[in-house]
Amino acid sequence: MELVVFIISAAVAILGAGAMVLSKNAIHSALFLLLNLGAIAVLYLLLRAPFLFAIQLIVYAGAIIVLFLFAVMLLGAERAEDERDRIAWQRPVALVMGLLLLAETIYVIFFAPRASVLATANSGGGEDFGAPIHIGEALFSVYLLPFELTSVILLAAIVGVVVLHRREQQSRGAE
Amino acid sequence: MVPTIYYVFLSGVLFIIGVLGVLVRRNALVVFMSIELMLNSANLALVSFAQARQSLGGQILVFFVITVAAAEVAVGLALLVTIFGTKRTTDIDEISTLRG
């Protein structure tokens, strides 16, 4: 049963990712990315990580996709690639390198001697493993320092965005 | 239970699609989305390892990765909007100089 859910969500995730890369319109790309993120959120639920499922939906599917759609519409960048490609030869080269990377991944995962973690199917374990209460306890005890550092990173991002915008306004005023 | 290796393989495939997106696409916004896709595939591998080892460390790390990704998207899109203000394009082939 779980395998069926896994296969369906994995197929949706891969289709969404592929369509994101292939679609000409950037708005469609953002919406396909949303599909992909939703499928990965289902996989998190399958992996017994309900907290990350919620975070994925709120932060990625909610905030980040909205930011992307907003930027695409603001810049009118839906069809930024309509003009001719000036370095067209790099596209087949990129495809070849991607296929090489895929072959390498398949070799490492399925054929190379591997660590015991990968070899064993994941044991069921406690049902409430990864419950929000355990994550909260770990976050505010063992991982307190990185948690506080995250707030510094977020503050730096906010300040950076405001500074970028201010400088843009000043340069416009000078013109 | 689904074996961990399936998750790792799916994560690898998603990562490669993201790499191809970065290499092939010229719209800076789509390149950005591909980077998000790669971050997500790494997150998926981390969560599946956390489940296989029954340790919370992987899930906590994913939490931090998502936070940093959110900050990165905010700053990156602000940079793109600023560049668009001067260059009037989001084609990364056009943006080939460091001058603003």
Side-chain angles (χ1 to χ4, degrees), chain B residues 12-93:
Chain B
V13 170
L14 289 178
F15 190 89
I16 287 158
I17 295 176
V19 169
L20 279 179
V22 170
L23 289 177
V24 167
R25 295 303 299 261
R26 285 178 294 135
N27 189 340
L29 285 156
V30 181
V31 171
F32 230 124
M33 292 176 206
S34 304
I35 293 172
E36 292 305 312
L37 183 64
M38 288 195 275
L39 282 170
N40 253 288
S41 71
N43 282 349
L44 183 63
L46 281 172
V47 177
S48 70
F49 286 142
Q51 164 73 9
R53 299 181 64 98
Q54 292 285 306
S55 99
L56 266 184
Q59 294 198 13
I60 304 271
L61 187 53
V62 169
F63 173 78
F64 289 132
V65 169
I66 289 178
T67 320
V68 173
E72 172 234 333
V73 165
V75 176
L77 288 179
L79 274 174
L80 273 182
V81 171
T82 313
I83 291 171
F84 189 82
T86 51
K87 296 263 185 185
R88 293 280 143 203
T89 181
T90 55
D91 189 334
I92 49 175
D93 286 351

Coordinates of all heavy atoms in Angstrom, one line a residue, chain B residues 12-93:
Chain B
G12 N 18.0 11.5 -6.2 CA 19.0 11.7 -7.2 C 18.5 12.2 -8.6 O 19.0 13.1 -9.2
V13 N 17.4 11.5 -9.0 CA 16.7 11.9 -10.3 C 16.3 13.3 -10.2 O 16.5 14.1 -11.2 CB 15.6 10.9 -10.6 CG1 14.8 11.5 -11.8 CG2 16.1 9.6 -10.9
L14 N 15.6 13.7 -9.1 CA 15.1 15.1 -9.0 C 16.3 16.1 -9.1 O 16.3 17.2 -9.7 CB 14.3 15.3 -7.7 CG 13.0 14.7 -7.7 CD1 12.3 14.9 -6.4 CD2 12.1 15.2 -8.8
F15 N 17.4 15.7 -8.4 CA 18.6 16.6 -8.4 C 19.1 16.8 -9.8 O 19.5 17.9 -10.2 CB 19.7 16.0 -7.5 CG 20.8 16.9 -7.2 CD1 20.8 17.8 -6.1 CD2 21.9 16.9 -8.0 CE1 21.8 18.6 -5.9 CE2 23.0 17.8 -7.8 CZ 22.9 18.6 -6.7
I16 N 19.2 15.7 -10.6 CA 19.7 15.8 -11.9 C 18.8 16.7 -12.8 O 19.3 17.4 -13.6 CB 19.9 14.4 -12.5 CG1 21.1 13.7 -11.8 CG2 20.1 14.4 -14.0 CD1 21.1 12.3 -11.9
I17 N 17.5 16.5 -12.6 CA 16.6 17.4 -13.4 C 16.9 18.9 -13.0 O 16.9 19.7 -13.9 CB 15.1 17.0 -13.1 CG1 14.8 15.6 -13.6 CG2 14.2 18.0 -13.7 CD1 13.4 15.1 -13.3
G18 N 17.1 19.1 -11.7 CA 17.5 20.5 -11.3 C 18.7 21.0 -11.9 O 18.8 22.1 -12.4
V19 N 19.8 20.1 -12.0 CA 21.0 20.4 -12.6 C 20.8 20.8 -14.1 O 21.3 21.8 -14.6 CB 22.1 19.3 -12.5 CG1 23.3 19.5 -13.3 CG2 22.5 19.1 -11.0
L20 N 20.0 19.9 -14.8 CA 19.7 20.2 -16.2 C 19.0 21.5 -16.4 O 19.3 22.3 -17.3 CB 18.9 19.1 -16.8 CG 19.7 17.8 -17.2 CD1 18.7 16.8 -17.7 CD2 20.7 18.2 -18.2
G21 N 18.1 21.8 -15.4 CA 17.4 23.1 -15.5 C 18.4 24.3 -15.4 O 18.3 25.3 -16.2
V22 N 19.3 24.2 -14.5 CA 20.3 25.3 -14.3 C 21.2 25.4 -15.6 O 21.5 26.5 -16.0 CB 21.2 25.0 -13.1 CG1 22.3 26.0 -13.0 CG2 20.4 25.1 -11.8
L23 N 21.5 24.2 -16.2 CA 22.4 24.3 -17.3 C 21.7 24.8 -18.6 O 22.3 25.5 -19.4 CB 23.1 22.9 -17.5 CG 24.1 22.4 -16.5 CD1 24.6 21.1 -16.9 CD2 25.3 23.4 -16.5
V24 N 20.5 24.4 -18.7 CA 19.8 24.6 -20.0 C 19.0 25.9 -20.1 O 19.1 26.6 -21.1 CB 18.9 23.4 -20.3 CG1 18.0 23.7 -21.5 CG2 19.7 22.1 -20.7
R25 N 18.3 26.2 -19.0 CA 17.4 27.4 -19.1 C 18.2 28.7 -19.1 O 19.3 28.7 -18.5 CB 16.4 27.3 -18.0 CG 15.5 26.2 -18.1 CD 14.7 26.1 -19.3 NE 13.9 27.3 -19.6 CZ 12.6 27.4 -19.3 NH1 12.0 26.3 -18.8 NH2 11.9 28.4 -19.6
R26 N 17.7 29.7 -19.7 CA 18.3 31.0 -19.7 C 17.6 32.1 -18.9 O 18.1 33.1 -18.5 CB 18.5 31.5 -21.1 CG 19.6 30.8 -21.8 CD 19.7 31.3 -23.3 NE 18.5 31.0 -24.0 CZ 17.9 31.8 -24.8 NH1 18.3 33.0 -24.9 NH2 16.8 31.4 -25.4
N27 N 16.3 31.8 -18.6 CA 15.5 32.7 -17.7 C 16.0 32.6 -16.3 O 15.9 31.5 -15.7 CB 14.0 32.3 -17.8 CG 13.2 33.4 -17.2 OD1 13.6 34.1 -16.4 ND2 11.9 33.4 -17.6
A28 N 16.5 33.7 -15.7 CA 17.1 33.6 -14.4 C 16.1 33.1 -13.3 O 16.5 32.4 -12.4 CB 17.6 35.0 -14.0
L29 N 14.8 33.4 -13.5 CA 13.9 32.9 -12.5 C 13.7 31.4 -12.6 O 13.6 30.8 -11.5 CB 12.5 33.6 -12.8 CG 12.5 35.1 -12.4 CD1 11.4 35.8 -13.1 CD2 12.2 35.1 -10.9
V30 N 13.7 30.8 -13.8 CA 13.6 29.4 -13.9 C 14.9 28.7 -13.3 O 14.8 27.6 -12.7 CB 13.3 29.0 -15.3 CG1 13.1 27.5 -15.4 CG2 12.1 29.7 -15.8
V31 N 16.0 29.3 -13.6 CA 17.2 28.8 -13.0 C 17.1 28.8 -11.4 O 17.5 27.8 -10.8 CB 18.5 29.7 -13.4 CG1 19.7 29.3 -12.6 CG2 18.7 29.5 -14.9
F32 N 16.6 29.8 -10.9 CA 16.3 29.9 -9.5 C 15.4 28.8 -9.0 O 15.7 28.1 -8.0 CB 15.7 31.2 -9.1 CG 16.3 31.9 -8.0 CD1 16.8 33.2 -8.2 CD2 16.5 31.3 -6.8 CE1 17.4 33.9 -7.2 CE2 17.1 32.0 -5.8 CZ 17.6 33.3 -6.0
M33 N 14.3 28.5 -9.8 CA 13.4 27.4 -9.4 C 14.1 26.1 -9.4 O 13.9 25.2 -8.6 CB 12.2 27.4 -10.3 CG 11.3 28.6 -10.2 SD 10.0 28.5 -11.5 CE 9.6 30.2 -11.7
S34 N 15.0 25.9 -10.4 CA 15.8 24.7 -10.5 C 16.7 24.5 -9.2 O 16.8 23.4 -8.7 CB 16.6 24.6 -11.7 OG 15.8 24.8 -12.9
I35 N 17.2 25.6 -8.8 CA 18.0 25.5 -7.5 C 17.2 25.1 -6.4 O 17.6 24.2 -5.5 CB 18.7 26.8 -7.3 CG1 19.8 27.1 -8.4 CG2 19.4 26.8 -5.9 CD1 20.4 28.5 -8.3
E36 N 16.0 25.6 -6.3 CA 15.0 25.2 -5.2 C 14.7 23.7 -5.3 O 14.6 23.0 -4.3 CB 13.7 26.0 -5.3 CG 13.9 27.4 -5.0 CD 14.5 27.6 -3.6 OE1 14.0 27.0 -2.7 OE2 15.4 28.4 -3.5
L37 N 14.6 23.2 -6.6 CA 14.3 21.8 -6.8 C 15.5 21.0 -6.3 O 15.2 19.9 -5.6 CB 14.1 21.6 -8.3 CG 13.8 20.2 -8.7 CD1 12.4 19.8 -8.1 CD2 13.7 20.0 -10.2
M38 N 16.7 21.4 -6.5 CA 17.8 20.6 -6.0 C 17.9 20.6 -4.5 O 18.1 19.6 -3.9 CB 19.1 21.2 -6.6 CG 19.3 21.0 -8.0 SD 21.0 21.3 -8.5 CE 20.9 23.0 -8.8
L39 N 17.6 21.8 -3.9 CA 17.5 21.8 -2.4 C 16.5 20.8 -1.9 O 16.7 20.1 -0.9 CB 17.2 23.2 -1.9 CG 18.3 24.2 -1.9 CD1 17.7 25.6 -1.7 CD2 19.3 23.9 -0.8
N40 N 15.4 20.8 -2.6 CA 14.3 19.9 -2.1 C 14.7 18.4 -2.3 O 14.3 17.6 -1.4 CB 13.1 20.1 -3.0 CG 12.0 20.9 -2.2 OD1 11.4 20.3 -1.4 ND2 11.9 22.1 -2.5
S41 N 15.4 18.1 -3.3 CA 15.8 16.7 -3.5 C 16.7 16.3 -2.4 O 16.6 15.2 -1.8 CB 16.4 16.5 -4.9 OG 17.6 17.0 -4.9
A42 N 17.6 17.2 -2.0 CA 18.6 16.9 -0.9 C 17.8 16.7 0.4 O 18.1 15.8 1.2 CB 19.6 18.0 -0.8
N43 N 16.8 17.6 0.6 CA 15.9 17.4 1.8 C 15.3 16.1 1.8 O 15.2 15.4 2.9 CB 14.9 18.5 1.8 CG 15.4 19.8 2.2 OD1 16.5 19.9 2.6 ND2 14.6 20.9 2.0
L44 N 14.8 15.6 0.7 CA 14.1 14.3 0.6 C 15.1 13.2 1.1 O 14.7 12.3 1.9 CB 13.6 14.0 -0.8 CG 12.8 12.8 -0.9 CD1 11.5 12.8 -0.1 CD2 12.4 12.6 -2.4
A45 N 16.3 13.2 0.6 CA 17.3 12.2 0.9 C 17.6 12.3 2.4 O 17.6 11.3 3.1 CB 18.6 12.4 0.2
L46 N 17.7 13.5 3.0 CA 18.0 13.7 4.4 C 16.8 13.1 5.3 O 17.1 12.4 6.2 CB 18.1 15.2 4.8 CG 19.5 15.7 4.4 CD1 19.4 17.3 4.6 CD2 20.5 15.1 5.3
V47 N 15.6 13.4 4.9 CA 14.5 12.8 5.7 C 14.4 11.3 5.6 O 14.1 10.7 6.6 CB 13.1 13.5 5.2 CG1 12.0 12.9 5.9 CG2 13.1 14.9 5.4
S48 N 14.7 10.8 4.4 CA 14.7 9.3 4.3 C 15.8 8.7 5.1 O 15.6 7.6 5.8 CB 14.7 8.9 2.9 OG 16.0 9.1 2.3
F49 N 16.9 9.3 5.2 CA 18.0 8.8 6.1 C 17.6 8.9 7.5 O 17.9 8.0 8.3 CB 19.3 9.6 5.8 CG 20.0 9.2 4.5 CD1 20.6 10.2 3.8 CD2 20.0 7.9 4.1 CE1 21.2 9.9 2.6 CE2 20.6 7.6 2.9 CZ 21.2 8.6 2.2
A50 N 17.0 10.0 7.9 CA 16.5 10.2 9.3 C 15.6 9.0 9.7 O 15.6 8.5 10.8 CB 15.9 11.5 9.5
Q51 N 14.7 8.7 8.7 CA 13.7 7.6 9.0 C 14.5 6.3 9.1 O 14.1 5.5 10.0 CB 12.7 7.6 7.9 CG 11.9 6.3 7.8 CD 10.9 6.3 8.9 OE1 10.7 7.2 9.7 NE2 10.2 5.1 9.1
A52 N 15.4 6.1 8.2 CA 16.1 4.8 8.2 C 16.9 4.6 9.5 O 17.0 3.5 10.1 CB 17.1 4.7 7.0
R53 N 17.5 5.7 10.0 CA 18.3 5.6 11.2 C 17.5 5.8 12.5 O 18.1 5.7 13.6 CB 19.5 6.6 11.1 CG 20.4 6.4 10.0 CD 21.5 7.4 10.1 NE 22.3 7.2 11.2 CZ 23.5 6.6 11.3 NH1 24.0 6.1 10.2 NH2 24.2 6.5 12.4
Q54 N 16.3 6.2 12.3 CA 15.5 6.6 13.4 C 16.1 7.6 14.3 O 16.1 7.5 15.5 CB 15.1 5.3 14.3 CG 14.2 4.3 13.6 CD 12.8 4.8 13.5 OE1 12.2 5.1 14.5 NE2 12.3 4.9 12.3
S55 N 16.7 8.6 13.7 CA 17.3 9.7 14.4 C 16.7 11.1 13.9 O 16.5 11.2 12.8 CB 18.8 9.7 14.3 OG 19.2 10.6 13.3
L56 N 16.6 12.0 14.9 CA 15.9 13.2 14.5 C 16.8 14.2 13.8 O 16.3 15.2 13.2 CB 15.4 13.9 15.8 CG 13.9 13.6 16.2 CD1 13.6 14.4 17.4 CD2 13.0 14.0 15.0
G57 N 18.1 14.0 13.8 CA 19.1 14.9 13.3 C 18.8 15.3 11.8 O 18.8 16.5 11.5
G58 N 18.4 14.3 11.0 CA 18.1 14.6 9.6 C 17.0 15.6 9.5 O 17.0 16.5 8.7
Q59 N 15.9 15.3 10.2 CA 14.7 16.2 10.1 C 15.0 17.6 10.6 O 14.6 18.6 10.0 CB 13.6 15.6 10.9 CG 13.1 14.3 10.3 CD 11.7 14.0 10.8 OE1 11.0 14.8 11.4 NE2 11.3 12.7 10.6
I60 N 15.9 17.8 11.6 CA 16.2 19.1 12.1 C 17.0 19.8 11.0 O 16.8 21.0 10.8 CB 17.1 19.0 13.4 CG1 16.3 18.2 14.5 CG2 17.5 20.3 13.9 CD1 15.4 19.0 15.3
L61 N 17.9 19.1 10.4 CA 18.8 19.7 9.3 C 17.9 20.2 8.2 O 18.1 21.3 7.7 CB 19.8 18.6 8.8 CG 20.8 19.2 7.9 CD1 21.5 20.4 8.4 CD2 21.8 18.1 7.6
V62 N 16.9 19.4 7.8 CA 15.9 19.8 6.8 C 15.2 21.1 7.2 O 15.0 22.0 6.4 CB 14.9 18.7 6.5 CG1 13.8 19.2 5.6 CG2 15.6 17.5 5.8
F63 N 14.8 21.2 8.4 CA 14.2 22.4 8.9 C 15.1 23.6 8.7 O 14.7 24.7 8.2 CB 13.9 22.2 10.4 CG 13.4 23.5 11.1 CD1 12.1 23.9 11.0 CD2 14.3 24.2 11.9 CE1 11.6 25.0 11.6 CE2 13.8 25.3 12.5 CZ 12.5 25.7 12.4
F64 N 16.4 23.5 9.0 CA 17.3 24.6 8.8 C 17.5 24.9 7.3 O 17.6 26.0 6.9 CB 18.7 24.3 9.5 CG 18.6 24.3 11.0 CD1 19.1 23.3 11.7 CD2 18.0 25.4 11.6 CE1 19.1 23.4 13.1 CE2 17.9 25.4 13.0 CZ 18.4 24.4 13.7
V65 N 17.6 23.8 6.5 CA 17.8 24.0 5.1 C 16.6 24.8 4.5 O 16.8 25.7 3.7 CB 17.9 22.7 4.3 CG1 17.8 22.9 2.8 CG2 19.2 22.0 4.7
I66 N 15.4 24.5 5.0 CA 14.2 25.2 4.5 C 14.3 26.7 4.9 O 14.0 27.6 4.1 CB 12.9 24.5 5.0 CG1 12.7 23.2 4.3 CG2 11.7 25.4 4.7 CD1 11.5 22.4 4.7
T67 N 14.7 26.9 6.1 CA 14.8 28.3 6.5 C 15.8 29.1 5.7 O 15.5 30.2 5.2 CB 15.3 28.4 8.0 OG1 14.6 27.3 8.7 CG2 15.0 29.7 8.6
V68 N 17.0 28.5 5.5 CA 18.0 29.2 4.7 C 17.5 29.4 3.3 O 17.8 30.4 2.6 CB 19.3 28.4 4.8 CG1 20.3 29.0 3.8 CG2 19.9 28.4 6.2
A69 N 16.8 28.4 2.7 CA 16.3 28.5 1.4 C 15.3 29.6 1.2 O 15.3 30.4 0.3 CB 15.6 27.2 0.9
A70 N 14.5 29.8 2.3 CA 13.6 30.9 2.2 C 14.3 32.3 2.2 O 14.0 33.2 1.4 CB 12.6 30.9 3.4
A71 N 15.3 32.4 3.1 CA 16.1 33.6 3.1 C 16.8 33.9 1.7 O 16.8 35.0 1.2 CB 17.2 33.6 4.2
E72 N 17.3 32.7 1.2 CA 18.1 32.8 -0.1 C 17.1 33.3 -1.2 O 17.5 34.1 -2.1 CB 18.6 31.4 -0.4 CG 19.2 31.3 -1.8 CD 18.6 30.1 -2.5 OE1 18.2 29.2 -1.8 OE2 18.6 30.2 -3.7
V73 N 15.9 32.8 -1.2 CA 15.0 33.2 -2.3 C 14.6 34.7 -2.2 O 14.6 35.4 -3.2 CB 13.7 32.3 -2.2 CG1 12.6 33.0 -3.0 CG2 14.0 30.9 -2.7
A74 N 14.4 35.1 -0.9 CA 14.1 36.5 -0.7 C 15.2 37.4 -1.3 O 15.0 38.4 -2.1 CB 13.8 36.8 0.7
V75 N 16.5 37.1 -0.9 CA 17.6 38.0 -1.3 C 17.8 37.8 -2.8 O 18.0 38.8 -3.5 CB 18.9 37.6 -0.5 CG1 20.1 38.3 -1.1 CG2 18.7 37.8 0.9
G76 N 17.7 36.6 -3.3 CA 17.9 36.4 -4.8 C 16.9 37.1 -5.6 O 17.3 37.7 -6.6
L77 N 15.7 37.0 -5.2 CA 14.7 37.7 -6.1 C 14.8 39.2 -6.0 O 14.6 39.9 -7.0 CB 13.3 37.3 -5.6 CG 12.9 35.9 -6.1 CD1 11.5 35.5 -5.6 CD2 13.0 35.7 -7.6
A78 N 15.3 39.7 -4.8 CA 15.5 41.2 -4.7 C 16.7 41.6 -5.6 O 16.6 42.6 -6.3 CB 15.9 41.5 -3.2
L79 N 17.7 40.7 -5.7 CA 18.8 41.0 -6.6 C 18.4 41.0 -8.0 O 18.7 41.9 -8.8 CB 19.9 39.9 -6.4 CG 20.9 40.1 -5.3 CD1 21.8 38.9 -5.2 CD2 21.8 41.3 -5.6
L80 N 17.5 40.0 -8.4 CA 17.0 39.9 -9.7 C 16.2 41.2 -10.1 O 16.4 41.7 -11.2 CB 16.1 38.7 -9.9 CG 16.8 37.4 -10.3 CD1 15.8 36.3 -10.5 CD2 17.6 37.7 -11.6
V81 N 15.4 41.7 -9.1 CA 14.6 42.8 -9.4 C 15.5 44.0 -9.6 O 15.3 44.9 -10.5 CB 13.6 43.1 -8.3 CG1 12.9 44.4 -8.4 CG2 12.5 42.0 -8.3
T82 N 16.6 44.1 -8.8 CA 17.5 45.2 -8.9 C 18.2 45.2 -10.3 O 18.4 46.2 -11.0 CB 18.6 45.2 -7.8 OG1 17.9 45.0 -6.6 CG2 19.4 46.5 -7.8
I83 N 18.7 44.0 -10.7 CA 19.3 43.8 -12.0 C 18.4 44.2 -13.1 O 18.7 44.9 -14.1 CB 19.9 42.4 -12.2 CG1 21.0 42.1 -11.2 CG2 20.3 42.1 -13.6 CD1 21.4 40.7 -11.1
F84 N 17.1 43.8 -13.0 CA 16.1 44.1 -14.0 C 15.9 45.6 -14.1 O 15.7 46.1 -15.2 CB 14.8 43.4 -13.6 CG 13.8 43.5 -14.7 CD1 13.8 42.6 -15.8 CD2 12.8 44.5 -14.7 CE1 12.9 42.7 -16.8 CE2 11.9 44.6 -15.7 CZ 11.9 43.7 -16.8
G85 N 16.1 46.3 -13.0 CA 16.0 47.8 -13.0 C 17.0 48.4 -13.9 O 16.7 49.4 -14.6
T86 N 18.2 47.9 -14.0 CA 19.2 48.5 -14.9 C 19.3 47.8 -16.3 O 19.4 48.5 -17.3 CB 20.6 48.4 -14.2 OG1 20.8 47.1 -13.8 CG2 20.6 49.3 -13.0
K87 N 19.2 46.5 -16.3 CA 19.4 45.8 -17.6 C 18.2 45.5 -18.4 O 18.2 45.2 -19.5 CB 20.1 44.4 -17.3 CG 21.5 44.5 -16.7 CD 22.5 44.4 -17.7 CE 23.9 44.4 -17.0 NZ 25.0 44.4 -18.0
R88 N 17.0 45.6 -17.7 CA 15.7 45.4 -18.4 C 15.6 44.0 -19.0 O 15.0 43.8 -20.1 CB 15.5 46.4 -19.5 CG 15.3 47.8 -19.0 CD 13.9 48.0 -18.5 NE 13.9 48.9 -17.3 CZ 12.9 48.9 -16.4 NH1 11.9 48.1 -16.5 NH2 13.0 49.7 -15.4
T89 N 16.2 43.0 -18.4 CA 16.1 41.6 -18.9 C 16.4 40.6 -17.7 O 17.0 41.0 -16.7 CB 17.1 41.3 -20.0 OG1 16.9 40.0 -20.5 CG2 18.5 41.5 -19.6
T90 N 15.8 39.4 -17.9 CA 16.2 38.4 -16.9 C 16.9 37.2 -17.6 O 17.0 36.1 -17.1 CB 14.9 37.8 -16.2 OG1 14.0 37.4 -17.2 CG2 14.3 38.8 -15.3
D91 N 17.4 37.5 -18.8 CA 18.1 36.4 -19.6 C 19.5 36.4 -19.1 O 20.2 37.5 -19.1 CB 18.1 36.8 -21.1 CG 18.7 35.6 -21.9 OD1 19.5 34.9 -21.4 OD2 18.3 35.5 -23.1
I92 N 20.0 35.3 -18.5 CA 21.3 35.3 -17.9 C 22.4 35.4 -18.9 O 23.6 35.7 -18.5 CB 21.5 34.1 -17.0 CG1 21.1 32.8 -17.7 CG2 20.7 34.2 -15.7 CD1 21.4 31.6 -16.9
D93 N 22.2 35.2 -20.2 CA 23.2 35.4 -21.2 C 23.5 36.9 -21.4 O 24.6 37.2 -21.7 CB 22.8 34.7 -22.5 CG 23.0 33.2 -22.4 OD1 23.5 32.7 -21.4 OD2 22.5 32.6 -23.4

